[in-house]
Amino acid sequence: MRIILLGAPGAGKGTQAQSLTKKYGIPQISTGDMLRAAIKAGTDMGKMAKAAMDAGQLVTDEIIIGLVKDRILEDDCKNGYLLDGFPRTLPQADAVTNAGIEIDAVIEIDVADSVIVKRMSGRRAHLASGRTYHLEYNPPKVAGKDDETGEELVQRPDDKEDVVIDRLKVYHELTQPLIGYYKEKSNTVSTLIYITVDGTAHITDVEAAITAKLG
C-alpha cells in the first residue's frame, strides 16, 4: 500500500499516519527525516542537499525526489510506504509521477479552516513533559496549570491563531491544488484511488472510514 496523505495543518494527518503505517506494516517517509539521514550517511544526494543548505538555499525538488527514490528501494518499503508532507506542490506531484514513484491511494482528510483554527489555537502544552491539553476538548483540572506538576501551561508559537491562519493561507495556495490534481488522476489511472474522509469525526471513526474505503 503506497499512500499520500493530504489535508491542512491540524487536520489530523499525523494521527492517521500512525494508524495506517501500523495496519499495513509500512514506513512513514518524512522528507525531513530523509534529508537528515542522507546528510549523516554522506550519500550523493545527502552531499548535494548539504551543499544547498550550507549555501543558505532551498533543497531542490530534484534532490528531494532523488532521496525519495533511494528511500523506497530499502527493505522496509517492500510492502509500501506512506509519504509524509510530500508532495506539497503541483511541480513536486508532477516530479513524483515523472520519476515513476508509484502511488496506490491518496487520502484527503477534510476539515474546515474554522475548525482547524479552533483546534490548534486552543492547544496548551507542558513543555517539560510533552503533555498537551485543549481549552475546550481536553482542559486541565486547573485552568492554565499542568495536571501533574501544577506548572504553567504555554501556547506554542505555531498554535497562535494568527500563525495558524497564515499556515492555512500557505496550504491553500501551494498544497490544496493537489486535491484536484489527484482526483483527476484517479479518474484516468485505474490503479489509483482517491479517498476523502471527514476529519471532524472521532479519530476512530476517521480511521474506520479510511480502512473501509481502502478495502
Side-chain angles (χ1 to χ4, degrees), residues 96-107:
V96 166
T97 299
N98 295 336
I101 296 170
E102 296 186 46
I103 302 298
D104 300 311
V106 177
I107 302 167

Side-chain angles (χ1 to χ4, degrees), residues 5 18 46 53 74 92 98 102 120 139 149 169 174 203:
L5 273 181
Q18 289 178 4
M53 292 164 71
E74 294 182 22
Q92 288 179 351
N98 295 336
E102 296 186 46
M120 296 180 75
T149 66
K169 286 178 183 174
L174 295 180
I203 289 171

Side-chain angles (χ1 to χ4, degrees), residues 1-193:
M1 186 60 71
R2 295 159 294 197
I3 298 170
I4 288 174
L5 273 181
L6 292 180
K13 297 188 298 297
T15 301
Q16 295 307 319
Q18 289 178 4
S19 168
L20 288 163
T21 52
K22 185 176 179 181
K23 179 176 179 60
Y24 292 104
I26 58 176
Q28 182 174 350
I29 298 177
S30 156
T31 51
D33 290 345
M34 279 191 305
L35 274 172
R36 287 185 285 274
I39 290 169
K40 186 177 179 181
T43 66
D44 290 343
M45 285 293 170
K47 290 174 183 174
M48 291 170 66
K50 186 175 188 305
M53 292 164 71
D54 287 348
Q57 300 169 349
L58 291 174
V59 178
T60 64
D61 288 350
E62 288 76 16
I63 293 174
I64 297 293
I65 287 291
L67 289 170
V68 173
K69 288 179 74 173
D70 287 348
R71 178 67 181 84
I72 64 178
L73 293 176
E74 294 182 22
D75 287 345
D76 63 342
C77 292
K78 64 181 183 297
N79 293 325
Y81 40 83
L82 185 148
L83 296 182
D84 175 13
F86 186 82
R88 287 184 188 273
T89 64
L90 288 175
Q92 288 179 351
D94 279 331
V96 166
T97 299
N98 295 336
I101 296 170
E102 296 186 46
I103 302 298
D104 300 311
V106 177
I107 302 167
E108 176 199 348
I109 302 177
D110 182 32
V111 182
D113 284 6
S114 58
V115 175
I116 287 173
V117 171
K118 188 175 181 181
R119 268 186 189 178
M120 296 180 75
S121 63
R123 292 196 297 212
R124 297 294 183 272
H126 180 247
L127 298 181
S129 67
R131 282 185 290 275
T132 57
Y133 302 84
H134 193 280
L135 298 181
E136 181 175 344
Y137 308 124
N138 178 36
K141 293 172 184 175
V142 177
K145 307 286 185 182
D146 177 54
D147 286 352
E148 294 191 20
T149 66
E151 293 171 348
E152 291 289 331
L153 299 176
V154 301
Q155 184 180 38
R156 292 191 177 100
D158 276 2
D159 290 338
K160 293 185 183 297
E161 185 170 330
D162 58 337
V163 176
V164 174
I165 290 170
D166 284 343
R167 290 176 67 194
L168 286 170
K169 286 178 183 174
V170 172
Y171 166 77
H172 289 306
E173 181 181 342
L174 295 180
T175 306
Q176 193 173 26
L178 292 178
I179 291 172
Y181 176 93
Y182 282 113
K183 277 183 177 177
E184 185 176 340
K185 196 172 180 63
S186 70
N187 291 329
T188 57
V189 178
S190 60
T191 55
L192 177 68
I193 59 171

Side-chain angles (χ1 to χ4, degrees), residues 188-208:
T188 57
V189 178
S190 60
T191 55
L192 177 68
I193 59 171
Y194 190 95
I195 294 168
T196 304
V197 293
D198 177 7
T200 63
H202 190 275
I203 289 171
T204 54
D205 293 333
V206 175
E207 184 180 328

